[in-house]
Protein backbone atom coordinates (compact mmCIF):
# COMPACT_ATOMS: atom_id res chain seq x y z
CA UNK A 1 0.00 0.00 0.00
CA UNK A 2 2.88 2.36 0.73
CA UNK A 3 4.19 1.85 -2.79
CA UNK A 4 0.77 2.66 -4.25
CA UNK A 5 0.62 5.85 -2.18
CA UNK A 6 4.05 6.87 -3.47
CA UNK A 7 3.06 6.15 -7.09
CA UNK A 8 -0.20 8.07 -6.60
CA UNK A 9 1.63 11.12 -5.28
CA UNK A 10 4.14 10.85 -8.14
CA UNK A 11 1.25 10.74 -10.60
CA UNK A 12 -0.25 13.93 -9.18
CA UNK A 13 3.13 15.67 -9.33
CA UNK A 14 3.58 14.45 -12.91
CA UNK A 15 0.19 15.87 -13.89
CA UNK A 16 1.12 19.23 -12.43
CA UNK A 17 4.51 19.31 -14.15
CA UNK A 18 3.41 17.98 -17.54
CA UNK A 19 0.03 19.68 -17.79
CA UNK A 20 0.12 21.84 -20.95
CA UNK A 21 -0.20 25.58 -20.53
CA UNK A 22 -1.34 28.09 -23.11
CA UNK A 23 -3.33 27.49 -26.27
CA UNK A 24 -2.85 24.79 -28.84
CA UNK A 25 0.33 25.14 -30.94
CA UNK A 26 -0.24 26.47 -34.43
CA UNK A 27 2.45 24.47 -36.22
CA UNK A 28 4.69 25.80 -38.96
CA UNK A 29 3.64 28.43 -41.44
CA UNK A 30 4.29 26.01 -44.30
CA UNK A 31 1.94 23.40 -42.91
CA UNK A 32 -0.56 22.01 -45.35
CA UNK A 33 -3.75 23.67 -44.16
CA UNK A 34 -6.91 24.76 -45.97
CA UNK A 35 -6.66 28.29 -47.29
CA UNK A 36 -8.19 31.30 -45.57
CA UNK A 37 -11.84 31.75 -46.29
CA UNK A 38 -12.58 28.02 -46.24
CA UNK A 39 -15.88 27.25 -44.53
CA UNK A 40 -17.50 23.98 -43.50
CA UNK A 41 -21.27 24.23 -43.99
CA UNK A 42 -23.68 21.32 -43.72
CA UNK A 43 -26.25 20.22 -46.25
CA UNK A 44 -28.82 17.56 -47.06
CA UNK A 45 -28.58 15.26 -50.06
CA UNK A 46 -31.61 15.72 -52.31
CA UNK A 47 -30.60 13.43 -55.19
CA UNK A 48 -27.80 11.03 -56.14
CA UNK A 49 -26.84 9.88 -59.63
CA UNK A 50 -24.51 6.84 -59.80
CA UNK A 51 -21.41 7.26 -61.92
CA UNK A 52 -19.29 10.30 -62.67
CA UNK A 53 -19.77 11.27 -66.30
CA UNK A 54 -17.91 14.54 -65.94
CA UNK A 55 -15.63 14.43 -68.98
CA UNK A 56 -15.31 17.73 -70.80
CA UNK A 57 -16.63 18.12 -74.35
CA UNK A 58 -13.07 18.15 -75.68
CA UNK A 59 -12.36 14.81 -74.06
CA UNK A 60 -9.77 16.27 -71.72
CA UNK A 61 -10.63 14.42 -68.53
CA UNK A 62 -8.00 16.33 -66.63
CA UNK A 63 -10.05 19.52 -66.80
CA UNK A 64 -13.24 18.15 -65.35
CA UNK A 65 -14.75 17.17 -62.08
CA UNK A 66 -13.66 20.18 -60.05
CA UNK A 67 -14.49 19.44 -56.45
CA UNK A 68 -12.25 21.94 -54.81
CA UNK A 69 -8.90 20.72 -53.60
CA UNK A 70 -8.28 21.02 -49.86
CA UNK A 71 -5.47 23.47 -50.46
CA UNK A 72 -7.88 25.94 -52.01
CA UNK A 73 -6.53 25.61 -55.54
CA UNK A 74 -9.75 24.17 -56.86
CA UNK A 75 -7.80 21.74 -59.02
CA UNK A 76 -10.26 19.41 -60.68
CA UNK A 77 -10.08 15.75 -59.90
CA UNK A 78 -9.44 13.24 -62.64
CA UNK A 79 -12.62 11.18 -62.96
CA UNK A 80 -10.77 8.28 -64.49
CA UNK A 81 -8.71 8.01 -61.33
CA UNK A 82 -11.65 8.59 -59.02
CA UNK A 83 -13.74 5.95 -60.72
CA UNK A 84 -11.00 3.43 -61.19
CA UNK A 85 -11.12 4.16 -64.97
CA UNK A 86 -14.44 2.36 -65.09
CA UNK A 87 -15.91 2.47 -68.55
CA UNK A 88 -13.34 4.92 -69.88
CA UNK A 89 -9.98 3.25 -69.60
CA UNK A 90 -8.33 0.25 -71.07
CA UNK A 91 -5.38 -1.86 -70.27
CA UNK A 92 -4.48 -4.30 -67.54
CA UNK A 93 -5.45 -2.05 -64.69
CA UNK A 94 -8.73 -0.78 -66.07
CA UNK A 95 -11.60 -1.03 -63.67
CA UNK A 96 -9.58 -2.53 -60.82
CA UNK A 97 -10.71 0.12 -58.38
CA UNK A 98 -14.34 -0.81 -58.83
CA UNK A 99 -13.91 -4.50 -58.03
CA UNK A 100 -17.11 -5.77 -59.66
CA UNK A 101 -17.66 -2.97 -62.13
CA UNK A 102 -19.79 -0.89 -59.76
CA UNK A 103 -19.36 2.85 -59.95
CA UNK A 104 -16.59 4.18 -57.69
CA UNK A 105 -18.15 7.64 -57.56
CA UNK A 106 -21.46 9.42 -57.83
CA UNK A 107 -22.89 12.88 -58.44
CA UNK A 108 -25.00 14.31 -55.61
CA UNK A 109 -27.18 17.38 -55.34
CA UNK A 110 -26.96 18.88 -51.86
CA UNK A 111 -29.07 21.66 -50.37
CA UNK A 112 -26.82 23.76 -48.14
CA UNK A 113 -28.46 24.61 -44.80
CA UNK A 114 -25.72 26.69 -43.12
CA UNK A 115 -22.94 29.12 -43.94
CA UNK A 116 -22.75 31.86 -46.59
CA UNK A 117 -24.41 29.68 -49.24
CA UNK A 118 -27.37 28.67 -47.09
CA UNK A 119 -30.36 27.74 -49.23
CA UNK A 120 -28.30 27.04 -52.37
CA UNK A 121 -28.39 23.63 -54.06
CA UNK A 122 -24.92 22.55 -55.16
CA UNK A 123 -23.67 19.60 -57.17
CA UNK A 124 -20.69 17.68 -55.82
CA UNK A 125 -18.82 14.54 -56.63
CA UNK A 126 -18.88 11.67 -54.12
CA UNK A 127 -15.80 9.50 -54.47
CA UNK A 128 -13.54 7.47 -52.22
CA UNK A 129 -15.25 6.47 -48.96
CA UNK A 130 -18.28 8.65 -49.71
CA UNK A 131 -19.09 6.59 -52.79
CA UNK A 132 -19.12 3.36 -50.77
CA UNK A 133 -20.86 4.56 -47.59
CA UNK A 134 -24.37 3.80 -48.85
CA UNK A 135 -25.40 7.47 -48.89
CA UNK A 136 -28.92 8.21 -50.07
CA UNK A 137 -31.24 11.22 -50.34
CA UNK A 138 -32.04 12.57 -46.89
CA UNK A 139 -28.54 11.98 -45.48
CA UNK A 140 -26.63 15.04 -44.35
CA UNK A 141 -23.05 15.94 -45.26
CA UNK A 142 -20.45 18.29 -43.91
CA UNK A 143 -19.08 20.23 -46.88
CA UNK A 144 -15.84 22.07 -47.50
CA UNK A 145 -16.39 25.33 -49.38
CA UNK A 146 -13.14 26.85 -50.65
CA UNK A 147 -12.99 30.42 -52.00
CA UNK A 148 -11.49 30.12 -55.47
CA UNK A 149 -9.58 32.88 -57.25
CA UNK A 150 -11.76 32.37 -60.33
CA UNK A 151 -15.25 33.81 -60.73
CA UNK A 152 -17.60 32.02 -58.32
CA UNK A 153 -20.72 30.32 -59.59
CA UNK A 154 -19.12 28.95 -62.76
CA UNK A 155 -20.25 25.36 -63.19
CA UNK A 156 -17.62 23.00 -64.54
CA UNK A 157 -18.29 20.22 -67.09
CA UNK A 158 -20.50 17.53 -65.66
CA UNK A 159 -22.40 19.96 -63.47
CA UNK A 160 -20.00 19.78 -60.52
CA UNK A 161 -19.70 23.08 -58.64
CA UNK A 162 -16.11 24.31 -58.26
CA UNK A 163 -14.59 24.79 -54.84
CA UNK A 164 -17.08 22.75 -52.84
CA UNK A 165 -16.72 19.08 -51.91
CA UNK A 166 -17.79 16.52 -49.33
CA UNK A 167 -15.75 16.70 -46.12
CA UNK A 168 -17.64 14.28 -43.88
CA UNK A 169 -20.95 12.64 -43.10
CA UNK A 170 -23.10 14.07 -40.30
CA UNK A 171 -23.60 11.05 -38.02
CA UNK A 172 -24.66 12.78 -34.80
CA UNK A 173 -28.06 11.12 -34.39
CA UNK A 174 -27.03 7.51 -35.26
CA UNK A 175 -23.98 7.74 -32.99
CA UNK A 176 -26.12 9.13 -30.16
CA UNK A 177 -28.60 6.27 -30.56
CA UNK A 178 -25.87 3.62 -30.42
CA UNK A 179 -24.21 5.32 -27.46
CA UNK A 180 -27.55 5.40 -25.63
CA UNK A 181 -28.10 1.71 -26.35
CA UNK A 182 -24.62 0.92 -25.01
CA UNK A 183 -25.25 2.86 -21.77
CA UNK A 184 -28.67 1.23 -21.35
CA UNK A 185 -27.32 -2.32 -21.70
CA UNK A 186 -24.34 -1.69 -19.40
CA UNK A 187 -26.47 -0.18 -16.64
CA UNK A 188 -29.25 -2.76 -17.00
CA UNK A 189 -26.87 -5.69 -16.69
CA UNK A 190 -24.09 -4.22 -14.54
CA UNK A 191 -26.35 -2.12 -12.26
CA UNK A 192 -24.28 0.08 -9.95
CA UNK A 193 -20.96 -1.35 -11.07
CA UNK A 194 -21.90 -0.79 -14.69
CA UNK A 195 -22.77 2.83 -13.94
CA UNK A 196 -19.50 3.35 -12.07
CA UNK A 197 -17.61 1.79 -14.98
CA UNK A 198 -19.23 4.27 -17.35
CA UNK A 199 -18.23 7.15 -15.07
CA UNK A 200 -14.67 5.81 -15.11
CA UNK A 201 -14.82 5.63 -18.90
CA UNK A 202 -15.87 9.28 -19.08
CA UNK A 203 -12.97 10.22 -16.79
CA UNK A 204 -10.55 8.26 -18.99
CA UNK A 205 -11.74 10.08 -22.10
CA UNK A 206 -11.41 13.43 -20.34
CA UNK A 207 -7.87 12.59 -19.21
CA UNK A 208 -6.86 11.72 -22.76
CA UNK A 209 -8.51 14.75 -24.37
CA UNK A 210 -7.67 17.35 -21.73
CA UNK A 211 -4.20 16.21 -20.72
CA UNK A 212 -2.51 13.66 -22.94
CA UNK A 213 -3.30 15.02 -26.41
CA UNK A 214 -2.52 18.70 -25.61
CA UNK A 215 0.68 17.67 -23.81
CA UNK A 216 1.81 15.69 -26.86
CA UNK A 217 0.97 18.62 -29.15
CA UNK A 218 3.18 20.83 -26.97
CA UNK A 219 6.08 18.47 -27.72
CA UNK A 220 6.10 17.00 -24.23
CA UNK A 221 8.00 13.74 -23.53
CA UNK A 222 5.71 11.01 -24.84
CA UNK A 223 6.56 8.16 -22.45
CA UNK A 224 6.25 10.18 -19.20
CA UNK A 225 2.99 11.64 -20.50
CA UNK A 226 1.64 8.17 -21.30
CA UNK A 227 2.73 6.75 -17.93
CA UNK A 228 1.24 9.63 -15.94
CA UNK A 229 -2.04 9.53 -17.88
CA UNK A 230 -2.24 5.73 -17.58
CA UNK A 231 -1.57 5.83 -13.85
CA UNK A 232 -4.21 8.51 -13.24
CA UNK A 233 -6.76 6.58 -15.28
CA UNK A 234 -6.05 3.30 -13.49
CA UNK A 235 -6.29 4.76 -9.99
CA UNK A 236 -9.69 6.29 -10.69
CA UNK A 237 -11.17 3.50 -12.83
CA UNK A 238 -10.16 0.56 -10.63
CA UNK A 239 -11.12 2.03 -7.28
CA UNK A 240 -14.30 3.54 -8.68
CA UNK A 241 -15.56 0.37 -10.37
CA UNK A 242 -14.32 -2.25 -7.89
CA UNK A 243 -14.20 -0.38 -4.59
CA UNK A 244 -11.32 0.46 -2.25
CA UNK A 245 -9.95 -2.83 -0.93
CA UNK A 246 -6.77 -4.88 -0.71
CA UNK A 247 -8.05 -6.96 -3.59
CA UNK A 248 -8.36 -3.91 -5.85
CA UNK A 249 -5.02 -2.56 -4.62
CA UNK A 250 -3.32 -5.82 -5.61
CA UNK A 251 -4.89 -5.58 -9.09
CA UNK A 252 -3.80 -1.95 -9.38
CA UNK A 253 -0.22 -2.76 -8.42
CA UNK A 254 -0.10 -5.59 -10.94
CA UNK A 255 -1.56 -3.40 -13.66
CA UNK A 256 0.96 -0.62 -13.01
CA UNK A 257 3.76 -3.19 -13.21
CA UNK A 258 2.38 -4.42 -16.53
CA UNK A 259 2.15 -0.86 -17.87
CA UNK A 260 5.77 -0.19 -16.88
CA UNK A 261 6.93 -3.35 -18.65
CA UNK A 262 4.88 -2.50 -21.74
CA UNK A 263 6.35 1.01 -21.84
CA UNK A 264 9.91 -0.32 -21.65
CA UNK A 265 9.28 -2.95 -24.33
CA UNK A 266 7.51 -0.46 -26.59
CA UNK A 267 10.42 1.96 -26.40
CA UNK A 268 12.92 -0.79 -27.23
CA UNK A 269 10.78 -2.27 -29.99
CA UNK A 270 10.09 1.03 -31.76
CA UNK A 271 13.79 1.90 -31.58
CA UNK A 272 15.19 -1.46 -32.72
CA UNK A 273 12.67 -1.94 -35.54
CA UNK A 274 13.27 1.64 -36.77
CA UNK A 275 9.59 2.49 -36.90
CA UNK A 276 8.90 6.14 -37.69
CA UNK A 277 5.39 6.24 -36.26
CA UNK A 278 4.16 8.00 -39.41
CA UNK A 279 1.32 5.98 -40.88
CA UNK A 280 -1.32 7.25 -43.31
CA UNK A 281 -3.04 9.45 -40.72
CA UNK A 282 0.18 10.73 -39.22
CA UNK A 283 1.38 11.56 -42.73
CA UNK A 284 -1.35 14.22 -42.97
CA UNK A 285 -0.72 15.35 -39.40
CA UNK A 286 3.07 15.67 -39.58
CA UNK A 287 3.23 18.90 -41.66
CA UNK A 288 0.69 20.55 -39.35
CA UNK A 289 2.46 19.70 -36.07
CA UNK A 290 6.15 19.23 -36.91
CA UNK A 291 7.06 19.59 -33.22
CA UNK A 292 5.49 16.23 -32.36
CA UNK A 293 7.80 13.23 -31.95
CA UNK A 294 5.92 10.56 -33.89
CA UNK A 295 8.11 7.72 -32.63
CA UNK A 296 7.20 8.80 -29.11
CA UNK A 297 3.58 9.10 -30.19
CA UNK A 298 3.62 5.48 -31.38
CA UNK A 299 5.14 4.35 -28.07
CA UNK A 300 2.44 6.30 -26.22
CA UNK A 301 -0.25 4.64 -28.35
CA UNK A 302 1.06 1.16 -27.52
CA UNK A 303 0.96 1.93 -23.79
CA UNK A 304 -2.58 3.32 -23.87
CA UNK A 305 -3.85 0.48 -26.08
CA UNK A 306 -2.87 -2.11 -23.47
CA UNK A 307 -4.66 -0.53 -20.50
CA UNK A 308 -8.04 -2.16 -20.98
CA UNK A 309 -6.89 -5.73 -21.39
CA UNK A 310 -4.36 -5.37 -18.56
CA UNK A 311 -7.09 -4.14 -16.25
CA UNK A 312 -9.31 -7.07 -17.19
CA UNK A 313 -6.62 -9.67 -16.50
CA UNK A 314 -5.28 -8.24 -13.25
CA UNK A 315 -8.62 -7.65 -11.51
CA UNK A 316 -9.70 -11.19 -12.39
CA UNK A 317 -6.44 -12.65 -11.18
CA UNK A 318 -6.56 -10.74 -7.90
CA UNK A 319 -10.15 -11.84 -7.29
CA UNK A 320 -9.18 -15.45 -8.00
CA UNK A 321 -6.56 -15.34 -5.24
CA UNK A 322 -9.05 -14.00 -2.70
CA UNK A 323 -11.72 -16.51 -3.65
CA UNK A 324 -9.27 -19.41 -3.52
CA UNK A 325 -8.32 -18.33 0.00
CA UNK A 326 -11.99 -18.23 0.97
CA UNK A 327 -12.75 -21.77 -0.24
CA UNK A 328 -9.36 -23.30 0.65
CA UNK A 329 -8.10 -21.58 3.81
CA UNK A 330 -5.64 -24.39 4.54
CA UNK A 331 -3.46 -23.63 1.49
CA UNK A 332 -0.05 -22.13 2.08
CA UNK A 333 0.93 -19.03 0.12
CA UNK A 334 3.06 -21.11 -2.21
CA UNK A 335 0.16 -23.50 -2.89
CA UNK A 336 -2.16 -20.53 -3.33
CA UNK A 337 0.20 -18.99 -5.92
CA UNK A 338 0.37 -22.25 -7.86
CA UNK A 339 -3.43 -22.64 -7.89
CA UNK A 340 -4.02 -19.04 -8.91
CA UNK A 341 -1.48 -19.30 -11.72
CA UNK A 342 -3.43 -22.23 -13.16
CA UNK A 343 -6.40 -19.90 -13.52
CA UNK A 344 -4.11 -17.17 -14.82
CA UNK A 345 -2.67 -19.38 -17.56
CA UNK A 346 -6.16 -20.12 -18.86
CA UNK A 347 -6.89 -16.41 -18.84
CA UNK A 348 -3.62 -15.66 -20.66
CA UNK A 349 -4.46 -18.13 -23.42
CA UNK A 350 -7.86 -16.57 -24.11
CA UNK A 351 -6.71 -12.96 -23.72
CA UNK A 352 -3.82 -13.35 -26.15
CA UNK A 353 -6.40 -14.26 -28.79
CA UNK A 354 -8.36 -11.16 -27.77
CA UNK A 355 -5.36 -8.89 -28.33
CA UNK A 356 -4.43 -10.39 -31.69
CA UNK A 357 -7.99 -10.43 -33.04
CA UNK A 358 -8.59 -6.87 -31.82
CA UNK A 359 -5.55 -5.57 -33.71
CA UNK A 360 -6.37 -7.64 -36.80
CA UNK A 361 -9.92 -6.31 -36.81
CA UNK A 362 -8.73 -2.73 -36.37
CA UNK A 363 -6.28 -3.01 -39.26
CA UNK A 364 -8.05 -5.43 -41.56
CA UNK A 365 -7.19 -3.35 -44.62
CA UNK A 366 -3.52 -3.73 -43.74
CA UNK A 367 -3.94 -7.47 -43.33
CA UNK A 368 -5.61 -7.57 -46.73
CA UNK A 369 -2.35 -6.34 -48.25
CA UNK A 370 -0.74 -9.58 -47.13
CA UNK A 371 -3.26 -11.42 -49.24
CA UNK A 372 -3.40 -9.40 -52.44
CA UNK A 373 0.28 -8.45 -52.89
CA UNK A 374 2.23 -10.97 -54.87
CA UNK A 375 5.37 -10.62 -52.76
CA UNK A 376 7.15 -12.79 -50.21
CA UNK A 377 5.54 -12.67 -46.78
CA UNK A 378 8.73 -11.54 -45.03
CA UNK A 379 9.01 -8.54 -47.34
CA UNK A 380 5.46 -7.45 -46.50
CA UNK A 381 6.04 -7.85 -42.78
CA UNK A 382 8.72 -5.17 -43.02
CA UNK A 383 6.33 -2.54 -44.35
CA UNK A 384 5.76 0.34 -41.91
CA UNK A 385 2.03 -0.18 -41.34
CA UNK A 386 2.26 -3.94 -40.93
CA UNK A 387 5.38 -3.83 -38.73
CA UNK A 388 3.67 -1.25 -36.52
CA UNK A 389 0.72 -3.56 -35.85
CA UNK A 390 3.08 -6.46 -35.15
CA UNK A 391 5.01 -4.39 -32.62
CA UNK A 392 1.76 -3.27 -30.97
CA UNK A 393 0.61 -6.86 -30.60
CA UNK A 394 3.90 -8.26 -29.34
CA UNK A 395 4.57 -5.53 -26.77
CA UNK A 396 1.02 -5.60 -25.43
CA UNK A 397 1.09 -9.40 -25.33
CA UNK A 398 4.34 -9.60 -23.38
CA UNK A 399 3.17 -6.95 -20.91
CA UNK A 400 -0.10 -8.83 -20.45
CA UNK A 401 1.56 -12.19 -19.84
CA UNK A 402 4.01 -10.78 -17.29
CA UNK A 403 1.24 -8.89 -15.48
CA UNK A 404 -0.37 -12.21 -14.49
CA UNK A 405 2.47 -13.52 -12.26
CA UNK A 406 3.12 -9.98 -10.97
CA UNK A 407 -0.51 -9.59 -9.87
CA UNK A 408 -0.70 -13.11 -8.50
CA UNK A 409 2.43 -12.67 -6.39
CA UNK A 410 1.22 -9.31 -5.05
CA UNK A 411 -2.24 -10.68 -4.25
CA UNK A 412 -0.81 -13.76 -2.51
CA UNK A 413 1.40 -11.51 -0.40
CA UNK A 414 -1.56 -9.33 0.63
CA UNK A 415 -4.18 -12.04 1.18
CA UNK A 416 -4.83 -13.05 4.84
CA UNK A 417 -2.44 -15.76 6.07
CA UNK A 418 -3.35 -19.44 6.27
CA UNK A 419 -3.63 -19.55 10.07
CA UNK A 420 -6.03 -16.62 10.18
CA UNK A 421 -8.18 -18.11 7.43
CA UNK A 422 -8.33 -21.48 9.12
CA UNK A 423 -9.72 -19.86 12.28
CA UNK A 424 -12.39 -18.10 10.29
CA UNK A 425 -11.02 -14.59 10.69
CA UNK A 426 -10.67 -12.09 7.78
CA UNK A 427 -10.93 -14.59 4.91
CA UNK A 428 -14.12 -16.16 6.26
CA UNK A 429 -16.12 -12.95 5.99
CA UNK A 430 -19.36 -13.23 4.06
CA UNK A 431 -18.77 -12.83 0.36
CA UNK A 432 -20.65 -10.28 -1.75
CA UNK A 433 -23.70 -11.63 -3.52
CA UNK A 434 -22.22 -11.15 -6.98
CA UNK A 435 -19.26 -13.40 -6.09
CA UNK A 436 -21.44 -16.36 -5.05
CA UNK A 437 -21.39 -18.04 -8.46
CA UNK A 438 -17.62 -17.72 -8.68
CA UNK A 439 -17.12 -19.21 -5.22
CA UNK A 440 -19.45 -22.10 -6.03
CA UNK A 441 -17.44 -22.83 -9.17
CA UNK A 442 -14.20 -22.74 -7.18
CA UNK A 443 -15.66 -25.12 -4.61
CA UNK A 444 -16.50 -27.50 -7.44
CA UNK A 445 -13.00 -27.12 -8.84
CA UNK A 446 -11.52 -27.87 -5.44
CA UNK A 447 -13.66 -30.99 -5.09
CA UNK A 448 -12.71 -32.29 -8.50
CA UNK A 449 -8.99 -31.66 -7.99
CA UNK A 450 -8.86 -32.64 -4.32
CA UNK A 451 -6.32 -35.45 -4.86
CA UNK A 452 -3.89 -32.79 -6.12
CA UNK A 453 -3.93 -30.93 -2.80
CA UNK A 454 -1.03 -31.77 -0.48
CA UNK A 455 -1.88 -33.66 2.65
CA UNK A 456 -2.88 -31.27 5.42
CA UNK A 457 -0.51 -30.82 8.33
CA UNK A 458 -1.00 -32.63 11.64
CA UNK A 459 -2.57 -29.64 13.38
CA UNK A 460 -5.25 -29.26 10.70
CA UNK A 461 -5.90 -33.02 10.70
CA UNK A 462 -6.32 -32.99 14.48
CA UNK A 463 -8.75 -30.08 14.35
CA UNK A 464 -10.91 -31.89 11.79
CA UNK A 465 -10.90 -35.08 13.87
Amino acid sequence: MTILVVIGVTTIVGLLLLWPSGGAPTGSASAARPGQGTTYPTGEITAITPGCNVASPTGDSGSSGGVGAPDGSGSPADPSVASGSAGSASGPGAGTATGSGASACAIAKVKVDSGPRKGDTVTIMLNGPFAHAGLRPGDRLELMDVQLPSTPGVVQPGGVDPGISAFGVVRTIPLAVWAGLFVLVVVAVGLLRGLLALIGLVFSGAMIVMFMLPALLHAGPAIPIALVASSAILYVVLYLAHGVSMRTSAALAGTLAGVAVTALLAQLAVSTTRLSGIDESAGFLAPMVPQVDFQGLLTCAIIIAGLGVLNDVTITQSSSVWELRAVAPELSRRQLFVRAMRIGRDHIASTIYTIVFAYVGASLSVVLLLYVYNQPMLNLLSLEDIATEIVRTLCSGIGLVLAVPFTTAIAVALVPPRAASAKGEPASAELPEDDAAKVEWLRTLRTVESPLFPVADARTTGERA
Side-chain angles (χ1 to χ4, degrees), residues 7 24 59 88 97 126 135 196 199 252 266 279 287 304 364 390 398:
I7 296 176
S88 61
L126 299 177
L135 294 173
L196 293 176
I199 295 174
L252 175 59
D279 55 10
I304 297 298
L364 197 57
I390 293 175
I398 295 175

Side-chain angles (χ1 to χ4, degrees), residues 42-139:
T42 57
E44 180 180 340
I45 298 176
T46 59
I48 292 182
T49 303
C52 295
N53 185 20
V54 294
S56 65
T58 59
D60 182 8
S61 61
S63 62
S64 62
V67 294
D71 60 0
S73 63
S75 299
D78 187 347
S80 65
V81 176
S83 63
S85 302
S88 61
S90 60
T96 57
T98 62
S100 60
S103 175
C105 62
I107 300 296
K109 292 187 178 297
V110 181
K111 184 176 181 180
V112 182
D113 53 23
S114 65
R117 302 182 65 172
K118 181 178 180 179
D120 293 350
T121 298
V122 297
T123 302
I124 64 172
M125 178 188 295
L126 299 177
N127 52 16
F130 300 106
H132 299 280
L135 294 173
R136 59 193 64 180
D139 291 335

Side-chain angles (χ1 to χ4, degrees), residues 254-255 257-262 264-265 310 313-314 341 348 352 395-410:
T255 308
V259 169
V261 171
T262 302
L264 177 61
L265 293 174
L310 275 174
V313 170
T314 56
M341 280 302 298
I348 287 173
I352 287 297
C395 292
S396 298
I398 295 175
L400 166 69
V401 171
L402 293 180
V404 171
F406 291 161
T407 305
T408 305
I410 294 170

